[in-house]
Amino acid sequence: MKFKSLIAAASIAALSAGSAWADAHMDKVKVGMITTLSGGGAGLGIDVRDGFMLAAKMAGNENLEVVVEDDQRKPDIAVQLADKMVQSEKVDVLTGIIWSNLAMAVVPAVTAQGKFYLSPNAGPSALAGKGCSPNYFNVSWQNDAFNEAAAMWANDNDVKNVFLMAPNYPAGQDMIAGFKRFYEGDIAAEVYTKLGQTDYAAEIAQMRASDADTIYFFLPGGMGISFMKQYAGSGVDKAVMGPAFSFDQGILGAIGDAALGVKNTSHWSKDIDNAANKTFVEEFQKEYGRLPSLYAAQGYDTANLLLSAMEKASVTDADAFRAALKEADFESVRGKFRFAENHHPIHDIFMREVVKEGDVVTNKIIGTAAADHQDAYGGDCKM
Amino acid sequence: MRREAILNIVLFLLLPVTAGAALLLDEPFIITLATKAAILALAGVGLNIALGLGGLVSLGHAAFFGLGGYAMGILAAHAQSYTPLMETPFLIEGTKSMPVIWLVAIVVAGLAALAIGALSLRTSGVYFIMITLAFGQMLYYFAISWPAYGGEDGLSIYVRNGFPGLNTLDPIQFFAIAFVVLALALLLAGRLARSAFGLALSAARQNAERVETVGLAPYRLRLVAFVISGAITGLAGALFADLNRFVSPVMFSWQTSGEIMVFVILGGVGRLYGPVAGAALFILLEHVLGGLSEYWHVYLGLLLLMVVLFARGGLIGTVAGREVAHD
Amino acid sequence: MTTILLIEQILNGLQSGIMLFLMAAGLTLIFGVMGLINLAHGSLYMVGAFAAAAVAAATGSFALGLVAALIAAAAAGALIELVVIRRLYDRDHLDQVLATFALILVFSEGTRWLFGSFPLYLDVPAALSGPVTLPGGILYPAYRLLIIGVGLLIAVGLFALIARTRIGIQIRAGEADREMIAALGVDISKLYTLVFALGAALAGLAGAMVGAIQSVQVGMGEPVLILAFVVIVIGGIGSIKGALVGALLVGLTDTLGGVLLPLGFGAFMDQSAATSIGSALASMSIYILMAGVLLFKPTGLFGEG
C-alpha cells in the first residue's frame, strides 16, 4: 500500500531527525491532551477534560501525568501543539481531540512517530479503514455508528419515509451516508445546509410540504439548538430523530421543552444500569456540580482504558502496552466494551428519548438500537 | 545609523538566533515556533505591500494565503496517491518538490489577486475592505463544501515536501528555508518601496489626483501592488501548509485575514520589518498568554487595543520614533 | 414545487431579511453619523441575547428579558464609546477595524468567562410559541410574524426619528458637515455617545429577539455581523433605506438560493451531485450578489459618493 509506505517513511525520517523515544520513563506515563477549551465548542473539550481528570483523580495513580493544551478548534494550532507534545514535552500518549478535521490533521503524524493516540471523541472513517494505525485506539465511536444504529431502529419501528438533513461538509455527508447504509424505507428528501447556518425556516417549510413521517437530522452544537427551537414553533408534527450530538446534556439545557419526545441514538446515557456508570454520574456531579455529558463519559472511559493498560505493561515496551490497550480490561460506563481488529469499539448503541425529570430536560433509554455494533470500515484496515 | 535601521538588524537576527539557540538547547519545538513566525511574517510582508505602501486595506488576504496552502495540498496529495491532477487536454502530475509548489502557489495566488483586485479596486474605502472580505468568504465556503479535497476536514500530507539537497523534516533545515524566503521577500519589498513604482504608489496613496496629473493611473499602480502582495502571501500559505503538513479551509477564514493584519499592525504599518516584529510578538504572546489562562484572548484583545489607541506606530514606531522612512 | 410552498419561502426570505435589518440598521447609523466601522457590533448583539437569557431565566418573563437586552446593550455600547470608540473617529478605517476586532476578542472571551462555555436557554413566550394560519392556508410561526412586525416598526421609527426629530436634524447635519454642527453649539460628543448607544440597543434587541429562536452562545454575533456588513455594503453605507433594501435582498437571495439552486441543478444532473453543487453555490450566493452590486454601483445601491 502506497499510503502505508509513506507512513513508514515518515516515521523513519522522524526518528532519525531526533525524535525522543529513548528517554521514556519506566512505568510512568505522560499524557498530552490537546482539546478545545476556548472559543466556540469549548464546552465539549471541557467535558472531555473533566471526565478524564475525574477518572485520574479517582484512581490516584501517581505514575500518570497529564499536560493539557487548548487547540482553539484550529487545525494548525492542534498540529503545532502535537509537535510540542512530542518534541518538547516528550509525552507517551496523546488524546483529547474533539473534531474530526483536527483528528485527521494530528493523528496520522503522531502515530507515525510511535506515539499512542486514544480518541475520546470523533472517529473519521479514514482512520477506521485505510488509514488505521496500530497505535490509534478509538474509545468513543466511529462517525457513522449512531446513524447506522438509528437506521436499524427505524427499520424495526415502522419508520417509512424520512427527511434527511445535515450541514454541507464531510462529517455531515458521512452521517447521512451512515444512515442510508442500513435504512430500508423511502427517502422523501436529502437536504444539505450551510455550515453554521442559524435560520432553518426554509428547510422547515420543505419538511412541512414533504410526505415524510420522520425527520432525521445531524446538526451539531448551536445549529441543532436553532433548528429544534424553530421546529417546535413551526407546528410541523412529524417525529424527529438524530444522533446524540444535538441532544446531549450541555445542549438540552439550551433547547428546553422544544426537544421533548425526540429520539436519539447514543452509546451512553446517564441511566445505563451498571455500577461503573452509577459511580461516574454520582462522582461527576459531586466534583463539578453539573450532570455529565456523553463527552465527559468518553473522557472518563479514555482515562480508565489507559489506567488499565498501565497496570499491565510499561509504556516503554510499545508492543506489550499496545496489547494491554487492545484488551480493554476496564469497566466502561457504557457497559459492554471491546475493541475490533481496527481498534474501534464494539459496543451497544441505545435509542434514547428526551424526557423531563422534574425541571431538568434529559435523556432516557427506551431500547437497544444496535447490539454489539461494529463499524463498516474494518475490512479496509490492514495493520 | 538611524534607530530604525539598528532595530531592523536586531529584528532580522532575532529569528535565526532564536532558532540557533533552540538547536543548541535541543528544544526543537522552539525552532518550529520560529519557523511559524518567519512564515507568518512573510504573509505579513505580502499584505504590507498592499496595506502600508498602497494604502489598500484588504480584509481578504486569507484568500491568497489559502490558495497557496491548497496549491501545496492538492499537488502533494496527487503526488502522494500517484494520481494525475488532470489528464485532458494535457497531463498534469502532482509533485512533492517545494520549488515547483512555490511557483504554482505564486502564480495561482497572483492570478487570483489580479482577478479580485481588478474588480475590487473599482471601489475604495470601506467598500474595498468589505468586497475583499466577500471574496475571501466566497473561497472559504467553496473550500468547505467542495468534497474533492477533503472539504472542512482539510487535507493531510504525511511527509513534508522535499527541497533539493536538504532534509526538510529536520526542523532547523526547514527553518532555514523559510527564513531565506522571508529574507528575499524583505529584500524585494525594500527595493520595491524605493523604486520609481513604489514612490508613485506611495504618492497615489497620499494624493491620487496629483499622481494622475503627472500621467500615471493610480488604478494600475494599485493593481500591480495588489498582485505582488497576493502572490507573496500565497507563497507564505504554501510554506505554512508545509509547516503543518496539513491544509484546511480555516486558512481562508476571515479571522485569518484579521490575524495577518494584526501582525502588520502590531509591528507597525508601512515599516519594512513591521510584519517580522508583529509575527514574532504574536507567536510569543500566543504561547506565553495561552499558557497562563484559557481566556487569553481577553488579554490579547486588550493589548491590541492599547497598541491601536496609544502606540500607533506599532512596536517599531514605539521604539524607533514616529517617522516612517520610505526613502 | 407548489405555489404555496414558494410563497412560504418568499415569506421566510423576507423574514430573515427583517432580522438582518435590525442588526444592519445600527451598524449603518453609526457609520453614517460617525464614519466608524464597528466590527464589535456583533458583540453587542451577543450581549443583548445573553442579558435577555439571564433575566428571562431569573424572572420567567420574556418581556423583561427584552428590556434587559436593550438596557444592557445600550449600556455596553455607551461604555465602549466613552472608553474606546471616541478615540477612533478621526483615525483611518484600518485603526477602526483593528480596535474593534480587538473588542470582539475581549467581549467573546469575557462573556465565556462570565457565563461559561455552554449555550444558554432562551425561548419564545408561550403565547407566541405555535403557528398561526395565514390566508391561503399557510401555517406560519406566530413569533416570526412578531419579528417582522417589530422590524417594520423599527424601520418606520428610525425614518421618523431622522426626518422629524431634533436629534434627527442634528444627526443629518452631522453627516453633512461635522464642524458645522459643532459650531452651532451642539454637544457633538454627547450626540455621538447617544447615537452609538442607540445603534447598540438595536443590536441588543436583535440579539434577544433572534436568540429566542436560535442558539444563545459565545460567538453568535460573528456570522450575523458579516451578513450585516454585506447588507449595508449592498445598500450603501450610511443609508437606512439602503440597509432595509439590502437586508431584504440578502434574506431573499440566501433563502431562495438554498432552496432553488439544488432544484435547478437537479434538472440536468443526478440528484446527489446537484444537491452538493447547489448547496455549495447557495452558501456563496450572497457574496456573489454583493460583488455583483459593487461592480455596477461601487458605493452600493443608495450610497453617496
Side-chain angles (χ1 to χ4, degrees), chain A residues 120-133:
Chain A
N121 202 54
S125 52
L127 294 179
K130 272 197 309 190
C132 69
S133 153

Side-chain angles (χ1 to χ4, degrees), chain C residues 38 75 85 135 168 173 238 267 289 291 294:
Chain C
N38 180 21
I85 302 288
L289 171 74
L294 288 191

